[in-house]
Amino acid sequence: MRLKNLSLIVLIAMAFTACKPKDSFTIDGTFQNPGTEKKVFLYGMESSQMVAIDSTNLSEKGEFKFIRKTPSVDFFRVSIGNHEFMLIAKNGDQIKLEADLTDKTMAYKISGANEVEKLSELNTIRNNFSKQAEKLQADFEAKVATQPQNRAAILEEMKPQYQSYINQLNTQIIKFAKDNKGTLASFYAMNTLSPQEYEAELVQFADEVKDEIKGNTTVDTFVKQMALLKAVQVGQVAPDFTMNTADGKAISLADYKGKYVLLDFWASWCQPCRQENPNVVKAYNKYKVKNFDILGISLDTDKAAWLGAVKADGLAWNQVSELKDFNGETVKKYQVQAIPTSYIIDPTGKIAAKNLRGEDLEAFLAKTLR
């Protein structure tokens, strides 16, 4: 009898396993405290963009379910109201998603498949940071409440602590990505980093995973973008180009051979660019006699606005533009994704530094142009 009972248990277990769908994945979710929100949307990747692919309504208990098919392991997102929850799924996965919609950190629990459990580990790292940041924000508001006249000073005082939290978070994210290389979770982790601050790390990561994560459109696009970005890393020969000034004069990068030249990608409408311009003007005036020059490359589409900003900010160096926003050929060649972006080209034509601003720019020039 014992043998028969054991055999029966084994058969039931096998039958239960066999019933799991292998040609689709399931997301079973529960949302606590949804309030008036009832509609739940499922987004999937199409041409590297998230688009709505399904929707359903919450039950009275706050439950919902999606059953979908996917050609390969890929990214998905569940959305309700202003809340978004990232997932990774492949056919055969049975994913559980739980969240409290009143949680300000937007923390959520996911389980049921290797990739989502890796994603859950990453979420824990990010949630811990959110709690630290939330506490720091509360401390800031409490101090300001008692000293409203000192708001700016209090903000400056607390900035280093916030930056320390950011640095710790990014260090943990990079470690997570290295420890879980070959998973989409590691790719997602790296793409939460600032592309300007962690450009070199992203380029290196793309090189390392290009043969490990194949067939996913989003990853393939990322790898191609990073290959282009690799061509404009520090130490590489700067791509040559020729652009026109406002009066039609052609200027080439080759014209600056033998000098240090700062390529400054900016625009009149870019507030951070305009705020940085006084620092650039200061650097130009101080080092122009020491084999240093600047070439401004505007992303403006409005010629009058561009020239007005040049005059208003006192930019005395050569200015060129294709007047095509981010669609200019030179802008694409230098992989400019945001502005301000800058490159310092050395006298031999190689890229010596990138995105140096304020004190960092001054320190580099002081050290280099003696």
Side-chain angles (χ1 to χ4, degrees):
M1 283 296 292
R2 288 179 181 174
L3 181 60
K4 287 181 180 180
N5 287 341
L6 181 59
S7 300
L8 181 61
I9 291 170
V10 171
L11 286 172
I12 291 172
M14 289 175 63
F16 178 75
T17 303
C19 287
K20 291 183 179 180
K22 298 299 181 184
D23 62 346
S24 62
F25 66 89
T26 301
I27 302 173
D28 281 302
T30 304
F31 289 138
Q32 299 175 29
N33 303 308
T36 58
E37 300 292 349
K38 297 297 178 186
K39 200 77 172 178
V40 186
F41 295 89
L42 179 66
Y43 287 76
M45 297 299 299
E46 286 187 13
S47 302
S48 298
Q49 297 291 326
M50 279 282 183
V51 298
I53 57 175
D54 205 349
S55 64
T56 188
N57 292 317
L58 283 180
S59 71
E60 290 183 0
K61 295 181 179 180
E63 298 171 336
F64 67 92
K65 187 172 189 173
F66 289 114
I67 300 176
R68 298 290 301 187
K69 295 182 179 181
T70 178
S72 61
V73 60
D74 212 341
F75 294 101
F76 296 88
R77 189 179 73 214
V78 173
S79 297
I80 178 170
N82 296 323
H83 300 266
E84 298 179 346
F85 307 94
M86 186 63 72
L87 302 170
I88 299 172
K90 67 180 185 302
N91 291 338
D93 287 350
Q94 300 219 344
I95 298 167
K96 299 287 186 183
L97 166 62
E98 298 175 80
D100 184 342
L101 299 190
T102 59
D103 187 340
K104 291 181 181 179
T105 66
M106 293 183 69
Y108 61 107
K109 296 179 181 179
I110 42 177
S111 61
N114 179 61
E115 283 278 10
V116 293
E117 285 170 7
K118 291 296 180 184
L119 200 57
S120 184
E121 290 178 27
L122 176 63
N123 286 342
T124 299
I125 293 170
R126 296 176 68 189
N127 290 340
N128 287 338
F129 163 75
S130 294
K131 290 175 183 177
Q132 288 178 317
E134 192 175 5
K135 183 180 183 303
L136 193 63
Q137 178 67 27
D139 291 345
F140 169 73
E141 290 173 357
K143 287 185 178 181
V144 169
T146 59
Q147 307 172 55
Q149 73 280 6
N150 295 329
R151 181 184 181 86
I154 294 169
L155 182 62
E156 286 302 312
E157 177 191 335
M158 300 186 77
K159 267 185 180 178
Q161 184 64 60
Y162 181 75
Q163 190 58 52
S164 173
Y165 289 157
I166 288 282
N167 294 341
Q168 291 173 40
L169 171 65
N170 290 336
T171 298
Q172 291 179 61
I173 285 174
I174 292 171
K175 182 180 184 305
F176 171 88
K178 288 180 178 179
D179 290 345
N180 294 282
K181 227 180 292 179
T183 67
L184 283 188
S186 69
F187 167 76
Y188 176 70
M190 289 299 291
N191 277 268
T192 64
L193 299 173
S194 165
Q196 283 191 306
E197 292 181 41
Y198 291 91
E199 185 179 281
E201 288 84 354
L202 289 167
V203 169
Q204 181 182 349
F205 179 77
D207 263 350
E208 292 172 351
V209 302
K210 63 186 178 184
D211 294 323
E212 294 185 31
I213 310 176
K214 286 184 176 180
N216 181 279
T217 304
T218 307
V219 177
D220 290 345
T221 299
F222 166 77
V223 169
K224 289 176 183 176
Q225 287 176 337
M226 291 303 106
L228 294 171
L229 198 55
K230 189 176 181 180
V232 287
Q233 292 294 291
V234 171
Q236 299 295 316
V237 175
D240 197 15
F241 61 87
T242 301
M243 296 175 70
N244 291 335
T245 61
D247 57 8
K249 178 186 175 183
I251 293 182
S252 299
L253 177 61
D255 298 338
Y256 293 87
K257 200 74 176 282
K259 286 186 172 184
Y260 280 92
V261 57
L262 172 70
L263 301 182
D264 183 25
F265 291 87
W266 73 291
S268 65
W269 46 260
C270 168
Q271 202 58 38
C273 302
R274 304 293 297 274
Q275 290 171 350
E276 180 63 19
N277 276 345
N279 294 325
V280 184
V281 169
K282 181 181 177 182
Y284 177 74
N285 289 334
K286 185 175 181 179
Y287 293 100
K288 64 183 179 180
V289 296
K290 295 187 177 182
N291 204 36
F292 174 69
D293 209 339
I294 300 175
L295 178 58
I297 303 173
S298 170
L299 276 66
D300 279 288
T301 57
D302 184 329
K303 186 176 180 180
W306 164 37
L307 296 180
V310 170
K311 183 177 180 180
D313 293 359
L315 310 184
W317 48 88
N318 284 328
Q319 294 284 335
V320 294
S321 180
E322 295 165 302
L323 297 173
K324 292 183 178 179
D325 198 66
F326 285 91
N327 299 312
E329 288 304 312
T330 302
V331 171
K332 290 181 180 178
K333 189 179 288 187
Y334 276 82
Q335 292 295 296
V336 177
Q337 303 294 323
I339 52 177
T341 285
S342 64
Y343 291 81
I344 295 182
I345 315 302
D346 74 13
T348 69
K350 289 185 177 181
I351 298 170
K354 296 178 69 170
N355 295 321
L356 298 180
R357 301 188 185 96
E359 293 179 0
D360 291 334
L361 175 61
E362 166 64 27
F364 175 86
L365 294 175
K367 180 181 178 181
T368 307
L369 304 176
R370 296 177 178 176

